[in-house]
Amino acid sequence: MPLATSLAIFQSCNITGVPKSTRCAILRDMAKVRKAERRPPLNKTHKLKRQDWAKKYLKTDFSKVLWTDEMRVSLDGPDGWARGWIGKGQRAPVRLRRQQGGGGVLVWAGIIKDELVGPFWVEDGVKLNSQSYCQFLEDTFFKQWYRKKSASFKKNMIFMQDNAPSHASKYSTAWLARKGIKEEKLMTWPPCSPDLNPIENLWSIIKCEIYKEGKQYTSLNSVWEAVVAAARNVDGEQIKTLTESMDGRLLSVLAKKGGYIGR
């Protein structure tokens, strides 16, 4: 009974009259409280495109793929992350209550093989349309990382980005082509597929670190510094584990006929 209440679970076993505290104590030995995962809906076309994508890249050397994405972090963290155990007789800590999580920072990063690219802060107030996205890549990814790489590395690297409008527009595609990232060097991406991008797991690692114990931040600079520190603590082996998971993800997509896979 996924996401059932403790009362419903006990009633399904024909057990009644057990206090909630006792029910929860018993269930903690065998289960965890979780929220349902939020995912965009997949229709038949989405599933077919995910299968086509998996077939196309099944024999790809994923150590040559740069997986990129953006992540927004707020001063207060995601809803529900400020819960935890406290001792009897202790008072729960007071949290600041702010609208929209107190504001936040948009972060861009990439991972390839065992290397982290970035993270880079998207300047506050900048709306990422096609032009600003390309300028951002020019100022950060290209100038600070890509240009330092060898000609052979650039020749073999495959650039992955999702289908956000600023990424997939004709303007951005043409701009990347002028940078040499085109055709087979620019990975096609299936719709509604965050579960296929290994950098999503990196975001989870970073968020767990920066918001542990219900941590809140008082400024955009402080939450950004926390992101940078958490990213630096992710070692090459952790990143390599994520990028090497791609063969399994593709096989899972095919086995599930385009359905969602676990991340």
Side-chain angles (χ1 to χ4, degrees):
M1 301 173 63
L3 303 182
T5 64
S6 63
L7 178 60
I9 293 173
F10 272 67
Q11 287 177 339
S12 70
C13 300
N14 296 318
I15 302 174
T16 58
V18 180
K20 182 179 179 180
S21 58
T22 303
R23 296 196 306 263
C24 291
I26 294 171
L27 290 174
R28 284 190 197 101
D29 290 334
M30 62 186 77
K32 293 182 179 180
V33 177
R34 293 287 179 86
K35 285 186 175 181
E37 293 186 24
R38 294 184 177 182
R39 292 174 173 174
L42 287 178
N43 59 35
K44 184 177 180 180
T45 300
H46 294 154
K47 291 180 180 180
L48 288 173
K49 288 185 176 181
R50 284 163 60 91
Q51 290 180 78
D52 290 341
W53 176 85
K55 292 174 183 176
K56 178 178 179 180
Y57 291 103
L58 195 56
K59 296 183 179 180
T60 299
D61 180 357
F62 289 112
S63 68
K64 303 293 194 297
V65 178
L66 175 69
W67 307 93
T68 74
D69 193 25
E70 293 95 12
M71 167 186 70
R72 180 167 291 280
V73 292
S74 67
L75 300 186
D76 295 343
D79 291 340
W81 280 42
R83 296 181 181 181
W85 294 98
I86 59 173
K88 289 184 177 180
Q90 294 182 325
R91 297 185 62 183
V94 176
R95 284 179 60 82
L96 298 174
R97 184 176 180 180
R98 298 176 284 205
Q99 291 185 342
Q100 298 180 347
V105 171
L106 185 63
V107 180
W108 182 98
I111 54 175
I112 181 169
K113 196 176 181 179
D114 59 356
E115 184 175 359
L116 172 65
V117 182
F120 298 114
W121 181 352
V122 179
E123 186 178 347
D124 190 36
V126 173
K127 183 178 180 180
L128 276 187
N129 55 30
S130 300
Q131 291 80 6
S132 60
Y133 173 64
C134 293
Q135 187 60 54
F136 171 80
L137 290 181
E138 176 66 30
D139 295 338
T140 55
F141 167 68
F142 281 102
K143 287 185 177 180
Q144 299 184 43
W145 187 82
Y146 188 73
R147 73 175 183 180
K148 300 176 183 178
K149 296 299 182 179
S150 67
S152 61
F153 176 91
K154 294 175 182 177
K155 180 181 179 181
N156 293 316
M157 190 198 80
I158 300 172
F159 187 86
M160 174 273 155
Q161 59 183 1
D162 64 22
N163 294 321
S166 60
H167 301 174
S169 69
K170 291 182 179 179
Y171 180 95
S172 298
T173 302
W175 186 85
L176 286 170
R178 292 195 294 273
K179 292 287 188 178
I181 298 177
K182 57 184 177 180
E183 300 171 349
E184 294 303 313
K185 288 176 58 59
L186 180 61
M187 178 176 280
T188 58
W189 193 247
C192 303
S193 298
D195 57 320
L196 300 180
N197 190 351
I199 202 173
E200 294 286 349
N201 299 86
L202 176 67
W203 295 147
S204 296
I205 293 170
I206 290 175
K207 285 185 175 181
C208 285
E209 177 62 25
I210 67 175
Y211 295 124
K212 65 183 179 181
E213 300 179 354
K215 174 74 174 179
Q216 287 181 291
Y217 297 88
T218 57
S219 68
L220 299 183
N221 280 331
S222 63
V223 72
W224 166 245
E225 290 171 359
V227 168
V228 172
R232 287 175 178 169
N233 285 333
V234 180
D235 60 38
E237 284 302 313
Q238 287 177 283
I239 295 173
K240 189 176 181 181
T241 297
L242 299 181
T243 57
E244 288 185 345
S245 71
M246 289 311 302
D247 290 320
R249 295 184 194 225
L250 269 66
L251 292 174
S252 294
V253 169
L254 294 175
K256 294 190 176 185
K257 297 182 179 180
Y260 276 124
I261 64 173
R263 284 190 284 171

